[in-house]
Amino acid sequence: MQLLRAFMGYKQAEECLLRCPHGCLPADGDLMRWRWPACALTIVTAVSLWLTASQLHVSQSAVPLDQDSSSSSAPDEFIHLCICSDDSDFRPAVVAIRSAVASSRQAHRFVFHLVTTPELSVRFSRAAKLQLPGVRIEVHADEEIQSAIQSRIEFRDTAGRKGLASAFNFAPFYLPLFLTPSSETFTSQTRRLIYFDADIVLLGDLAEVFDMDMEGKPCAAVPYCNQKMQKYVNFNVLKTLVTSETIDPSSCIANRGLLLIDVKAWADLKLTESIEFWLEQYRKADGELWVGGMSQPPWLLAINGNYMQLNADWNCNSLGRHSMGNLEVAQLHSLGFEEDHLTSLRVETTSWGVVPYVVTCSNSAKLLHYNGAMKPWLLDSDTVQVPVCTMPQALSEYHFNWVQEVEILGVTYTFVTCSEIWSLFLADDLLYSEPVNTTAEGVEELQRREDAKTWANKINADREKRQKDKEWREKQLAERRKKLAGGYYTGQTIQAAHDISVRGKIVVRKNCEGVVQGPSLNHPTERLNVLFKERRDKKTRSINVLPFEVKPSDKDKET
């Protein structure tokens, strides 16, 4: 009965069973024989219709991204998604793209654009064919535009990491210039673009963002009111500049990790030119016009609040941050977190906050942003103190290696490591197969696969090298910690307990510091070999001493 209802629909199945009380099977007697063919024909017809409808549904919701059918669509039917990066490690971009495709019901509309250097563009194109089969990807590089952008950037130490001064940190403001000459899908008629950072995982459908009503705004982003404009911009310096802009120091900033751009409105308002204006002011200003960033502050000053606000679910951030400041910790405590909860999450409390970061927005987030220095792809597999996240609802069916539940105010929260969420979308091995033929195309495809394989092997080799380096350091430390005569160890900082003489002459004064080099070669169980920082005879040779002639230094006692 249930099978009939599944294939035919509830009403039709009931009617068939009423006509055929034995389940549409022939019964004894001639009166039932004529009903069986009719019911059988009804079932076959219904099943055929159901299968046809199912196939139509699949074909509409899962059109292969590399079929010609999508290329006939009008440009505005494509959803243009852009990543800008000069990182030779392609794993972040691959994870971002994979998670975007996996989380969308309209992935057949997606066109991914990677803006990178000319050198990396060829490598990424080859790797993408293997790691992202069926995904429409266009790779763009323009050395002239890249150089023009770089010439406008001035790095200062207060900006943070040197990598922030890369031209590709500013490339999102120049996307049409990069895309127009080389894209097969982006044209002068394209209305919108979505930019997102490579260090993200998408758990929501980006089609929702692309199709939203922007109400005439040039861009859309997530406001972040935990930080204000005055955190980034030095308003004392700003007052000395000649500008007609009025900037509110207490206004919320917006996060550029996900940015929807209305191409025409952006161009009409000359926002790129405005960003360039602020970069020029930064270079000319006597003081620091902004701190703690490179591309974010001039963009914030250029839009000055003129943007459409996205829901906070589209930027759950700090998944790569090493620590939380006291203000953020106070917010954590306001949610009910106590010391026992933090301890169970492998989080350590310090005088200035907690280590590492505790992310609470990830359970319902549509975008996870791994901003910060602790990028998942840079961590060793045995790193214990890593940022922890509430388990995303969208990934609750997956098995995580580390899971910790904490009960807070009667509610149970499940935490996992943020880095493992990222790893779910990463395949360490590329997809290898022999070329289907021996033609020039087949040979070229084999070369592409070999190049990609070499890239993957390099990643594994680097990982193995880091592991060997770690083991070597641990071995060296163990050797140093071996107890020598008097309980000292190699590498220990010591002091002379009194004046030390060699052949009747004082060569080392009392309290002179030195470092234990190891045991004496001739008397390893009785004497130490010590290199003192300063000898009276100006020589730099080490001296063999008895254990009572030295003592642990004050510095060594402190550590």
Side-chain angles (χ1 to χ4, degrees), residues 138-166:
E138 297 182 359
V139 183
H140 311 275
D142 192 310
E143 193 167 6
E144 185 176 345
I145 299 174
Q146 177 184 333
S147 299
I149 297 173
Q150 195 68 58
S151 67
R152 298 180 179 276
I153 302 170
E154 178 179 316
F155 177 76
R156 299 180 183 179
D157 292 337
T158 54
R161 292 179 286 115
K162 182 70 173 179
L164 297 177
S166 165

CSV table of all heavy atoms in Angstrom, one decimal, residues 138-166:
chain,number,residue,atom,x,y,z
A,138,GLU,N,36.7,30.6,-14.1
A,138,GLU,CA,37.5,31.5,-14.9
A,138,GLU,C,38.6,32.1,-14.1
A,138,GLU,O,38.4,32.6,-13.0
A,138,GLU,CB,36.6,32.6,-15.6
A,138,GLU,CG,35.5,32.0,-16.5
A,138,GLU,CD,34.7,33.2,-17.1
A,138,GLU,OE1,35.0,34.3,-16.9
A,138,GLU,OE2,33.8,32.9,-17.9
A,139,VAL,N,39.8,32.0,-14.7
A,139,VAL,CA,41.0,32.5,-14.0
A,139,VAL,C,41.4,33.8,-14.7
A,139,VAL,O,41.6,33.8,-15.9
A,139,VAL,CB,42.1,31.5,-13.9
A,139,VAL,CG1,43.3,32.1,-13.1
A,139,VAL,CG2,41.6,30.2,-13.2
A,140,HIS,N,41.7,34.9,-14.0
A,140,HIS,CA,42.1,36.1,-14.6
A,140,HIS,C,43.4,36.7,-14.0
A,140,HIS,O,43.6,36.6,-12.8
A,140,HIS,CB,40.9,37.2,-14.3
A,140,HIS,CG,39.6,36.7,-14.7
A,140,HIS,ND1,39.1,36.7,-15.9
A,140,HIS,CD2,38.6,36.1,-13.9
A,140,HIS,CE1,37.8,36.2,-15.9
A,140,HIS,NE2,37.6,35.8,-14.7
A,141,ALA,N,44.2,37.2,-14.8
A,141,ALA,CA,45.5,37.8,-14.4
A,141,ALA,C,45.8,39.0,-15.3
A,141,ALA,O,45.6,38.8,-16.5
A,141,ALA,CB,46.6,36.8,-14.4
A,142,ASP,N,46.2,40.1,-14.8
A,142,ASP,CA,46.6,41.2,-15.6
A,142,ASP,C,47.7,42.0,-14.8
A,142,ASP,O,47.5,42.6,-13.8
A,142,ASP,CB,45.4,42.2,-15.8
A,142,ASP,CG,45.7,43.2,-16.8
A,142,ASP,OD1,46.8,43.9,-16.8
A,142,ASP,OD2,44.9,43.4,-17.7
A,143,GLU,N,48.9,41.8,-15.3
A,143,GLU,CA,50.1,42.3,-14.6
A,143,GLU,C,50.1,43.8,-14.6
A,143,GLU,O,50.6,44.5,-13.6
A,143,GLU,CB,51.4,41.8,-15.3
A,143,GLU,CG,52.6,42.0,-14.5
A,143,GLU,CD,53.8,41.3,-15.0
A,143,GLU,OE1,53.7,40.6,-16.0
A,143,GLU,OE2,54.9,41.3,-14.3
A,144,GLU,N,49.6,44.4,-15.6
A,144,GLU,CA,49.5,45.9,-15.7
A,144,GLU,C,48.6,46.5,-14.7
A,144,GLU,O,49.0,47.4,-14.0
A,144,GLU,CB,49.1,46.3,-17.1
A,144,GLU,CG,49.1,47.9,-17.3
A,144,GLU,CD,48.8,48.3,-18.8
A,144,GLU,OE1,48.7,47.4,-19.6
A,144,GLU,OE2,48.5,49.5,-19.0
A,145,ILE,N,47.4,45.9,-14.5
A,145,ILE,CA,46.5,46.4,-13.5
A,145,ILE,C,47.1,46.1,-12.1
A,145,ILE,O,47.0,47.0,-11.2
A,145,ILE,CB,45.1,45.7,-13.6
A,145,ILE,CG1,44.5,46.0,-15.0
A,145,ILE,CG2,44.2,46.1,-12.5
A,145,ILE,CD1,43.2,45.3,-15.3
A,146,GLN,N,47.6,44.9,-11.9
A,146,GLN,CA,48.3,44.6,-10.7
A,146,GLN,C,49.3,45.6,-10.2
A,146,GLN,O,49.3,46.0,-9.1
A,146,GLN,CB,48.9,43.2,-10.8
A,146,GLN,CG,49.6,42.7,-9.5
A,146,GLN,CD,50.2,41.3,-9.8
A,146,GLN,OE1,49.8,40.5,-10.6
A,146,GLN,NE2,51.3,41.0,-9.0
A,147,SER,N,50.2,46.0,-11.2
A,147,SER,CA,51.2,46.9,-10.9
A,147,SER,C,50.7,48.3,-10.6
A,147,SER,O,51.2,49.0,-9.7
A,147,SER,CB,52.2,47.0,-12.1
A,147,SER,OG,52.8,45.8,-12.3
A,148,ALA,N,49.6,48.7,-11.3
A,148,ALA,CA,49.0,50.0,-11.0
A,148,ALA,C,48.4,50.1,-9.6
A,148,ALA,O,48.5,51.1,-9.0
A,148,ALA,CB,47.9,50.3,-12.1
A,149,ILE,N,47.8,49.0,-9.2
A,149,ILE,CA,47.2,48.9,-7.9
A,149,ILE,C,48.3,49.0,-6.8
A,149,ILE,O,48.3,49.8,-5.8
A,149,ILE,CB,46.4,47.7,-7.7
A,149,ILE,CG1,45.2,47.7,-8.6
A,149,ILE,CG2,45.9,47.6,-6.2
A,149,ILE,CD1,44.4,46.4,-8.6
A,150,GLN,N,49.4,48.2,-7.1
A,150,GLN,CA,50.5,48.1,-6.1
A,150,GLN,C,51.2,49.5,-5.9
A,150,GLN,O,51.6,49.8,-4.8
A,150,GLN,CB,51.5,47.1,-6.6
A,150,GLN,CG,52.5,46.7,-5.5
A,150,GLN,CD,51.9,45.9,-4.4
A,150,GLN,OE1,51.2,44.8,-4.6
A,150,GLN,NE2,52.0,46.4,-3.1
A,151,SER,N,51.2,50.3,-7.0
A,151,SER,CA,51.9,51.6,-6.9
A,151,SER,C,51.1,52.5,-6.0
A,151,SER,O,51.7,53.5,-5.5
A,151,SER,CB,52.0,52.2,-8.3
A,151,SER,OG,50.7,52.5,-8.8
A,152,ARG,N,49.9,52.3,-5.7
A,152,ARG,CA,49.1,53.2,-4.8
A,152,ARG,C,49.2,52.8,-3.3
A,152,ARG,O,48.6,53.5,-2.5
A,152,ARG,CB,47.6,53.1,-5.2
A,152,ARG,CG,47.4,53.7,-6.6
A,152,ARG,CD,45.9,53.6,-7.0
A,152,ARG,NE,45.7,54.1,-8.3
A,152,ARG,CZ,45.5,55.4,-8.7
A,152,ARG,NH1,45.6,56.3,-7.7
A,152,ARG,NH2,45.3,55.8,-9.9
A,153,ILE,N,49.8,51.6,-3.0
A,153,ILE,CA,49.8,51.1,-1.7
A,153,ILE,C,51.1,51.4,-1.0
A,153,ILE,O,52.2,51.3,-1.5
A,153,ILE,CB,49.6,49.6,-1.7
A,153,ILE,CG1,48.3,49.2,-2.4
A,153,ILE,CG2,49.6,49.0,-0.3
A,153,ILE,CD1,48.2,47.7,-2.7
A,154,GLU,N,51.0,52.0,0.2
A,154,GLU,CA,52.1,52.2,1.1
A,154,GLU,C,51.9,51.5,2.4
A,154,GLU,O,50.9,51.6,3.1
A,154,GLU,CB,52.3,53.7,1.4
A,154,GLU,CG,53.4,54.0,2.3
A,154,GLU,CD,53.6,55.5,2.6
A,154,GLU,OE1,53.5,56.3,1.6
A,154,GLU,OE2,53.8,55.9,3.8
A,155,PHE,N,52.9,50.6,2.7
A,155,PHE,CA,52.8,49.8,3.9
A,155,PHE,C,53.5,50.5,5.1
A,155,PHE,O,54.6,51.0,4.9
A,155,PHE,CB,53.4,48.4,3.7
A,155,PHE,CG,53.4,47.6,4.9
A,155,PHE,CD1,52.2,47.0,5.4
A,155,PHE,CD2,54.6,47.4,5.7
A,155,PHE,CE1,52.2,46.2,6.5
A,155,PHE,CE2,54.6,46.6,6.8
A,155,PHE,CZ,53.4,46.0,7.2
A,156,ARG,N,52.8,50.5,6.2
A,156,ARG,CA,53.4,51.0,7.5
A,156,ARG,C,53.3,49.9,8.5
A,156,ARG,O,52.3,49.1,8.5
A,156,ARG,CB,52.8,52.3,7.9
A,156,ARG,CG,53.0,53.4,6.9
A,156,ARG,CD,52.4,54.7,7.4
A,156,ARG,NE,52.5,55.8,6.4
A,156,ARG,CZ,52.0,57.0,6.6
A,156,ARG,NH1,51.3,57.3,7.7
A,156,ARG,NH2,52.1,57.9,5.6
A,157,ASP,N,54.2,49.9,9.5
A,157,ASP,CA,54.1,48.8,10.5
A,157,ASP,C,52.8,48.7,11.3
A,157,ASP,O,52.4,47.7,11.7
A,157,ASP,CB,55.3,48.9,11.5
A,157,ASP,CG,56.7,48.7,10.8
A,157,ASP,OD1,56.7,48.0,9.7
A,157,ASP,OD2,57.7,49.2,11.3
A,158,THR,N,52.2,49.9,11.5
A,158,THR,CA,50.9,49.9,12.2
A,158,THR,C,49.8,49.2,11.5
A,158,THR,O,48.7,49.0,12.1
A,158,THR,CB,50.5,51.3,12.5
A,158,THR,OG1,50.5,52.1,11.3
A,158,THR,CG2,51.5,52.0,13.5
A,159,ALA,N,50.0,48.9,10.2
A,159,ALA,CA,48.9,48.3,9.4
A,159,ALA,C,48.7,46.8,9.8
A,159,ALA,O,47.6,46.3,9.6
A,159,ALA,CB,49.2,48.4,7.9
A,160,GLY,N,49.7,46.2,10.3
A,160,GLY,CA,49.6,44.8,10.7
A,160,GLY,C,50.5,43.9,9.9
A,160,GLY,O,51.7,44.3,9.7
A,161,ARG,N,50.0,42.8,9.3
A,161,ARG,CA,50.8,41.9,8.5
A,161,ARG,C,51.2,42.5,7.2
A,161,ARG,O,50.5,43.2,6.6
A,161,ARG,CB,50.0,40.6,8.3
A,161,ARG,CG,49.8,39.8,9.5
A,161,ARG,CD,49.0,38.5,9.2
A,161,ARG,NE,47.6,38.8,9.0
A,161,ARG,CZ,47.0,38.6,7.8
A,161,ARG,NH1,47.7,38.2,6.8
A,161,ARG,NH2,45.7,38.9,7.6
A,162,LYS,N,52.5,42.2,6.8
A,162,LYS,CA,53.0,42.7,5.5
A,162,LYS,C,52.1,42.2,4.4
A,162,LYS,O,52.0,42.9,3.4
A,162,LYS,CB,54.4,42.2,5.4
A,162,LYS,CG,55.1,42.7,4.1
A,162,LYS,CD,55.5,44.1,4.2
A,162,LYS,CE,56.3,44.6,3.0
A,162,LYS,NZ,56.6,46.0,3.1
A,163,GLY,N,51.6,41.0,4.5
A,163,GLY,CA,50.8,40.5,3.4
A,163,GLY,C,49.5,41.3,3.1
A,163,GLY,O,49.0,41.2,2.0
A,164,LEU,N,49.1,42.2,4.0
A,164,LEU,CA,48.0,43.0,3.7
A,164,LEU,C,48.3,44.1,2.7
A,164,LEU,O,47.3,44.7,2.2
A,164,LEU,CB,47.5,43.7,5.0
A,164,LEU,CG,47.0,42.8,6.2
A,164,LEU,CD1,46.7,43.6,7.4
A,164,LEU,CD2,45.8,42.0,5.7
A,165,ALA,N,49.6,44.3,2.4
A,165,ALA,CA,49.9,45.3,1.4
A,165,ALA,C,49.9,44.7,0.0
A,165,ALA,O,50.3,45.4,-0.9
A,165,ALA,CB,51.3,45.9,1.7
A,166,SER,N,49.5,43.5,-0.2
A,166,SER,CA,49.4,42.9,-1.5
A,166,SER,C,48.3,43.6,-2.4
A,166,SER,O,47.3,44.0,-1.9
A,166,SER,CB,49.0,41.4,-1.4
A,166,SER,OG,48.6,40.9,-2.6
